[in-house]
Amino acid sequence: MAAALQRGLQAEGFAVDLAHDGEEGLHLARQGDYDVVVLDIMLPRLSGYNVCKRLRAEENWVPILMLSAKDGEYDMADGLDLGADDYLTKPFSYVVLVARLRALLRRDAGRRPAVLTAGDLSLDPARRKVQRAEESVELTPREFALLEYLMRRHDEVVSKTEILEHVWDTFDTDPNVVEVYVGYLRRKIDAPFGRNALQTVRGAGYRLAGDGG
């Protein structure tokens, strides 16, 4: 089920890291800057309850959606009382899961901006919308994920390797695919508007100008 969820969320444009036990999940949550955590309760080595409890004890407020086959009202109350933001019981609708994840992203506006901006370029992660000079820009899920990652790190130089890790979730893909998708993005967010926001830093990677180019 975890692998199926990973594939589905990636198809929606999310970059997804997968942990197969509670200790690995806790380590990833501590080390990564995640938008949201989907946390199963019945995990090997460390339960989802304990993962959630430890993160909250460390004042890690990443939004957590718990998944569980336990559908009793006390089970749900325990998860929420420990600090989970939402709780979904199995079997669940994938459409509902994605809708709840997007709701958590909107609700998390206090920790990070609800809408990312770079000059007159804006990206709304929860509504999956991009605008340039108040005009809508249609992007594929992969283009959207790439732009979101670059906008979250605007004015920083980001290497192809970092982009592959966070947007493609792999190091095995040909790095040239990044160059191809950067070209796709430029033709949609820069060229039609006479801008140069997405810049190549020779020998180092790419940078998205915080002023929108």
Side-chain angles (χ1 to χ4, degrees):
M1 187 185 74
L5 281 178
Q6 183 182 39
R7 290 192 298 271
L9 292 172
Q10 286 172 338
E12 294 283 341
F14 293 97
V16 183
D17 291 330
L18 182 60
H20 292 284
D21 63 69
E23 289 188 1
E24 183 185 3
L26 179 61
H27 173 74
L28 287 175
R30 283 169 168 167
Q31 299 300 316
D33 182 23
Y34 292 100
D35 297 296
V36 65
V37 171
V38 179
L39 182 62
D40 203 313
I41 290 177
M42 304 298 287
L43 291 172
R45 302 179 71 186
L46 192 66
S47 74
Y49 285 139
N50 284 322
V51 171
C52 183
K53 183 178 180 179
R54 292 188 190 185
L55 288 173
R56 296 308 189 231
E58 296 166 6
E59 298 188 352
N60 185 326
W61 305 116
V62 60
I64 294 174
L65 186 152
M66 278 191 165
L67 294 180
S68 178
K70 295 184 173 185
D71 58 358
E73 60 183 16
Y74 290 105
D75 297 308
M76 186 178 299
D78 286 343
L80 296 173
D81 285 344
L82 285 171
D85 298 274
D86 203 351
Y87 191 106
L88 199 57
T89 58
K90 305 173 189 174
F92 54 85
S93 161
Y94 176 74
V95 173
V96 171
L97 171 66
V98 172
R100 290 196 178 188
L101 289 177
R102 288 178 176 165
L104 286 178
L105 291 173
R106 290 193 294 271
R107 205 184 305 167
D108 193 36
R111 192 176 70 94
R112 60 177 72 221
V115 178
L116 305 176
T117 59
D120 63 358
L121 176 65
S122 67
L123 181 148
D124 186 332
R127 293 179 175 83
R128 317 302 287 178
K129 291 184 178 179
V130 174
Q131 288 187 314
R132 170 68 106 169
E134 299 185 358
E135 290 186 26
S136 293
V137 179
E138 295 298 322
L139 300 181
T140 67
R142 187 74 71 186
E143 291 166 352
F144 188 96
L146 174 57
L147 181 60
E148 180 179 0
Y149 180 64
L150 292 171
M151 289 186 73
R152 289 197 185 280
R153 297 188 57 180
H154 65 81
D155 289 325
E156 296 181 30
V157 178
V158 184
S159 70
K160 287 183 179 180
T161 300
E162 289 177 286
I163 292 172
L164 284 175
E165 179 185 1
H166 288 87
V167 178
W168 272 264
D169 290 319
T170 180
F171 294 106
D172 298 331
T173 303
D174 185 344
N176 289 329
V177 74
V178 176
E179 186 175 341
V180 171
Y181 273 84
V182 165
Y184 292 158
L185 270 184
R186 283 178 174 145
R187 288 194 285 275
K188 292 184 177 182
I189 67 168
D190 280 345
F193 304 93
R195 307 295 172 78
N196 183 32
L198 189 40
Q199 303 162 358
T200 299
V201 180
R202 191 173 297 277
Y206 302 96
R207 175 176 54 220
L208 189 128
D211 63 3

